[in-house]
Amino acid sequence: MQCNDISTHNLPKRPLRIFVHTGEVSGDMQGSLLVAALERQGAQQKIAVEISAMGGSRMAAAGAKLIGDTVSISSIGFFEALPHVRKALKLNRQARQHLKAAPPDVVVLIDYMGPNVAIGNFIRRQFPKVPIAYYIAPHLWVWATIPGDTAKVLSIADRILAIFPEEARYYQSKGGQVSWVGHPLLDRFADYRPELAKREARQRLGLAPSDRVITLLPASRQQELTYVLPIMFTAAQQLQTQIPELKFLVPLAREAFRETIETAFKQYGLTGQAVAKDEQMLAISAADLAIAKSGTTNLEIALMEVPQVVMYRLNRLTAWVAEFVLKFSAPYVSPVNLVNMEPIVPEFVQWEATPEAISQMALNLLNNPDQRQKMVEGYRAMRGHLGSVGVCDRAANEILELAISNAVCAER
């Protein structure tokens, strides 16, 4: 798209239309930070913006007009996705109807590969001149196993806004137009002070300074209540047998999980409590150790400098297909280890994710100050490779630039 003059003086009288498409709890969180930055940068540049989104409640709270809630249907695996197919198709239709009714000036895709490729292909057919920015592109540089996946992403992305250095290098090497903006969680934890945060979190949660606290983070998807929670809670049960005074906190990624989590506390005889979604940072800050499923939360825990053990499990059939049919393999699954491709945090995935292995590693971390300190030093080294503060504003400015260019060209 080439225009000689893309100054804001030539913008249409209506607000710039920005459409953001994502799913899952982490995508909703990252999307909310981006929405806030788009609003902020638009105001600073005196550009009116109108942001609509497929995402979740956090993006809506940040100011986006929510067209449909995609967080509730997020899943990993072929068979796990089947119960959500009808709702996913309905949400896809809602998104397409909205886009036809209010054609965007720019589209932003966040993670969430399958649905994002589908909506990206629709944009390419329906609005071929509308630019698409892929923010937090799929981790194909780690686990690309299906031929053509990278080409699918590059075919729909006019610009990739990369958050990991290796992500930027990978997509650039494949011919993508890439900007490395850094990791958005840096903005969220720019002023975080671990010791102070721990004291304040314990006060607010009614915990004593001397309490020994482990925070469990088992689920942000429905399927994880089935496959991850039992393993994690059994490991916690074993730890409590070893250290009876332990207290456990479980932040709720979704309020709909409360009954299942509270029932599990009773079933496994754990001492502790479930805490609300908006208290997740408090629950992590208050902890001496976290046991977490793999995902963006691992990076949050690292930036809070809390030692952690990472685990994940899928449906056995899904895992078998991935390993033996698709030949899926990845050196690491936790974002903490992916930054420098180094084993900063211990990972127990699928067949290795046993309660005994997880509880033993957790016990070692709890009782070995040197091992805990080594992990914290690894966190600090990793943080230095995530970029610099101001990530969301940099990403927002690139997106606004694409929107302005498209809007000005469209007026001619």
Side-chain angles (χ1 to χ4, degrees):
M1 181 184 311
Q2 298 291 326
C3 288
N4 294 328
D5 181 6
I6 59 169
S7 71
T8 56
H9 298 294
N10 295 320
L11 283 175
K13 301 301 180 185
R14 61 168 176 79
L16 287 178
R17 296 191 188 117
I18 302 171
F19 178 70
V20 184
H21 192 271
T22 188
E24 306 183 324
V25 169
S26 61
D28 186 37
M29 184 267 289
Q30 306 287 19
S32 71
L33 297 176
L34 180 63
V35 168
L38 287 165
E39 298 273 10
R40 183 167 58 248
Q41 288 302 313
Q44 286 183 13
Q45 299 176 41
K46 296 181 171 54
I47 302 169
V49 295
E50 184 180 272
I51 305 170
S52 58
M54 302 292 286
S57 58
R58 287 180 174 175
M59 292 174 70
K65 177 186 176 184
L66 203 63
I67 307 305
D69 183 353
T70 51
V71 171
S72 61
I73 63 167
S74 63
S75 61
I76 292 180
F78 321 104
F79 307 105
E80 292 82 353
L82 292 176
H84 305 298
V85 168
R86 289 185 64 185
K87 188 171 182 182
L89 291 172
K90 180 180 177 182
L91 287 169
N92 186 271
R93 286 195 299 271
Q94 287 176 217
R96 294 179 182 217
Q97 288 167 1
H98 167 73
L99 290 166
K100 287 178 180 178
D105 295 301
V106 66
V107 171
V108 183
L109 309 177
I110 302 178
D111 202 356
Y112 202 44
M113 180 170 171
N116 270 339
V117 168
I119 204 71
N121 284 329
F122 170 76
I123 295 291
R124 279 283 174 261
R125 293 192 305 270
Q126 191 75 26
F127 310 106
K129 294 185 179 180
V130 170
I132 299 174
Y134 215 133
Y135 178 53
I136 313 180
H139 291 176
L140 298 177
W141 45 279
V142 180
W143 48 258
T145 56
I146 301 176
D149 273 358
T150 300
K152 287 178 185 177
V153 171
L154 293 177
S155 71
I156 60 171
D158 294 289
R159 192 170 304 177
I160 290 175
L161 304 177
I163 65 171
F164 291 108
E166 194 58 39
E167 173 192 356
R169 284 191 286 271
Y170 175 80
Y171 283 108
Q172 260 178 338
S173 73
K174 301 298 181 180
Q177 180 68 34
V178 181
S179 297
W180 179 49
V181 293
H183 203 289
L185 287 183
L186 286 176
D187 294 354
R188 195 177 186 196
F189 294 99
D191 300 317
Y192 187 84
R193 301 293 178 266
E195 290 304 318
L196 177 62
K198 185 172 185 175
R199 288 196 299 272
E200 291 179 349
R202 290 194 169 206
Q203 287 174 359
R204 290 180 61 179
L205 294 172
L207 297 166
S210 60
D211 284 341
R212 302 192 78 180
V213 179
I214 295 180
T215 294
L216 308 175
L217 298 112
S220 61
R221 304 176 183 91
Q222 185 71 37
Q223 71 189 73
E224 290 157 354
L225 296 176
T226 301
Y227 302 115
V228 175
L229 184 146
I231 302 297
M232 190 179 291
F233 272 53
T234 302
Q237 190 180 51
Q238 293 175 0
L239 284 165
Q240 189 168 267
T241 301
Q242 297 273 342
I243 310 174
E245 68 271 22
L246 279 176
K247 294 183 178 179
F248 295 93
L249 301 175
V250 181
L252 301 170
R254 291 162 56 187
E255 186 60 32
F257 294 170
R258 180 177 292 279
E259 184 178 352
T260 301
I261 298 292
E262 291 180 345
T263 299
F265 261 104
K266 295 174 184 176
Q267 179 183 347
Y268 290 89
L270 300 183
T271 301
Q273 60 180 315
V275 300
K277 179 172 71 173
D278 59 5
E279 293 184 325
Q280 177 166 310
M281 283 184 62
L282 288 177
I284 297 171
S285 295
D288 297 301
L289 175 77
I291 303 177
K293 75 178 187 74
S294 61
T296 302
T297 300
N298 305 150
L299 204 51
E300 293 180 282
I301 296 167
L303 293 173
M304 296 187 217
E305 298 193 354
V306 175
Q308 65 182 302
V309 178
V310 176
M311 66 153 294
Y312 205 78
R313 270 210 181 186
L314 288 165
N315 173 316
R316 286 176 178 270
L317 185 54
T318 296
W320 187 88
V321 170
E323 183 172 351
F324 297 107
V325 178
L326 297 179
K327 306 299 182 184
F328 173 89
S329 65
Y332 305 109
V333 297
S334 169
V336 178
N337 294 340
L338 291 175
V339 175
N340 292 332
M341 302 303 262
E342 295 176 354
I344 297 170
V345 298
E347 299 180 352
F348 298 95
V349 181
Q350 201 57 31
W351 326 115
E352 296 176 355
T354 65
E356 294 74 22
I358 295 162
S359 62
Q360 186 57 56
M361 180 59 70
L363 194 64
N364 292 345
L365 281 168
L366 282 171
N367 293 332
N368 189 329
D370 291 340
Q371 197 171 345
R372 292 164 60 84
Q373 185 57 34
K374 182 181 178 182
M375 189 176 291
V376 170
E377 289 170 2
Y379 288 163
R380 292 171 181 171
M382 173 214 67
R383 183 174 186 148
H385 292 268
L386 290 178
S388 57
V389 173
V391 173
C392 295
D393 287 322
R394 286 194 291 275
N397 280 326
E398 295 231 17
I399 291 163
L400 287 173
E401 177 188 294
L402 289 171
I404 291 168
S405 178
N406 181 47
V408 170
C409 288
E411 288 285 293
R412 300 194 168 185

